[in-house]
Amino acid sequence: MTTSAKRHSTLPVAANDRSGPAASPRVKLYKRRIAIRHADPQAGERLLAEALGAADRDALHGLLSQLVKASVIGRKPDEANLAFLISLVKNIAPKDSIEAMLAVQMVSVHAAAMRSACRLGLTDDIPQQESLTRALTRLARTFASQIEALSRHRNNGERAITVRNLSVQDGGRAIVGNVTQHASMIVAEPNVATAAGPVPPREAGEYERAESRHGASA
């Protein structure tokens, strides 16, 4: 990979919009090399490494090469599509090597899903439609699994639980809105309690059956 001092042109809107983060350096694709288009070669590599979450120069070149392959349109890498994929990875904002690899996989799966969707819309052949539908479904499920994997990794391996129903007894305090905790949290059934406090659902059922038998024998 080499760098080039040649500046790339930008759309007027993008050039005048200073409210968002600066765009990552564009990449120029040649037959046998890749050039980062930036006035300062070292600054260009640094900005692109930050966008992709690459820990060093080798990681940057490896991730960028993989994205080049994922950008293929009509059997040829596409610069505009590559810039789009880099932008997506940058917005995912990978914080370490695992997140960087997962982010690159996610945008690659998204690109493959969109290619399948495009081919599905262009064919009238029933067997091809069925095959493409299965492929698109698998890719969509894979993408959803990748989102969940990224979320678990960022939450230290715990799955988040959102509690939307809340029961408040006398003297308690309520929180308005959704409350999210991790998988280690235990939520009791509302209105089920003993003198010792809330009882888990299974134990609550056993407690009620015991009370019913006691009342019947009395």
Side-chain angles (χ1 to χ4, degrees):
M1 181 189 301
T2 60
T3 56
S4 172
K6 193 181 298 181
R7 293 179 179 271
H8 67 277
S9 59
T10 58
L11 294 176
V13 174
N16 295 329
D17 184 11
R18 301 182 183 275
S19 59
S24 301
R26 297 294 289 263
V27 176
K28 178 67 176 178
L29 300 177
Y30 294 95
K31 187 174 182 179
R32 295 185 178 180
R33 65 187 179 95
I34 303 172
I36 300 175
R37 304 175 65 177
H38 195 276
D40 185 343
Q42 293 183 348
E45 282 199 347
R46 185 183 70 254
L47 291 173
L48 202 55
E50 292 175 356
L52 299 181
D56 52 40
R57 196 168 186 266
D58 290 335
L60 168 62
H61 291 193
L63 293 172
L64 192 55
S65 297
Q66 291 170 348
L67 287 173
V68 169
K69 295 175 182 178
S71 72
V72 170
I73 296 179
R75 299 185 179 183
K76 184 178 180 181
D78 183 80
E79 290 184 7
N81 197 27
L82 175 61
F84 168 63
L85 297 179
I86 292 174
S87 178
L88 292 180
V89 173
K90 180 180 179 180
N91 280 279
I92 294 174
K95 301 298 189 298
D96 54 37
S97 296
I98 293 178
E99 292 190 12
M101 291 184 291
L102 188 54
V104 170
Q105 291 178 27
M106 291 171 68
V107 300
S108 300
V109 168
H110 169 74
M114 293 302 97
R115 284 195 293 268
S116 296
C118 179
R119 293 176 59 190
L120 179 60
L122 294 175
T123 182
D124 294 326
D125 184 75
I126 300 300
Q128 287 187 4
Q129 288 179 345
E130 293 177 349
S131 176
L132 289 169
T133 298
R134 288 193 298 269
L136 182 57
T137 300
R138 287 194 297 268
L139 289 167
R141 290 175 177 172
T142 299
F143 186 77
S145 298
Q146 290 170 330
I147 293 175
E148 185 177 356
L150 179 61
S151 177
R152 286 202 306 270
H153 176 72
R154 289 180 171 177
N155 290 322
N156 297 321
E158 295 183 350
R159 298 183 64 178
I161 299 176
T162 301
V163 181
R164 293 186 174 86
N165 296 324
L166 185 63
S167 176
V168 182
Q169 298 178 352
D170 293 340
R173 294 182 179 180
I175 300 175
V176 179
N178 293 335
V179 180
T180 301
Q181 292 290 344
H182 295 301
S184 58
M185 185 185 71
I186 299 176
V187 181
E189 287 287 339
N191 300 325
V192 177
T194 66
V199 179
R202 183 175 180 181
E203 296 181 11
E206 295 176 355
Y207 175 80
E208 292 176 352
R209 288 193 293 272
E211 287 292 318
S212 176
R213 291 195 297 270
H214 177 73
S217 62

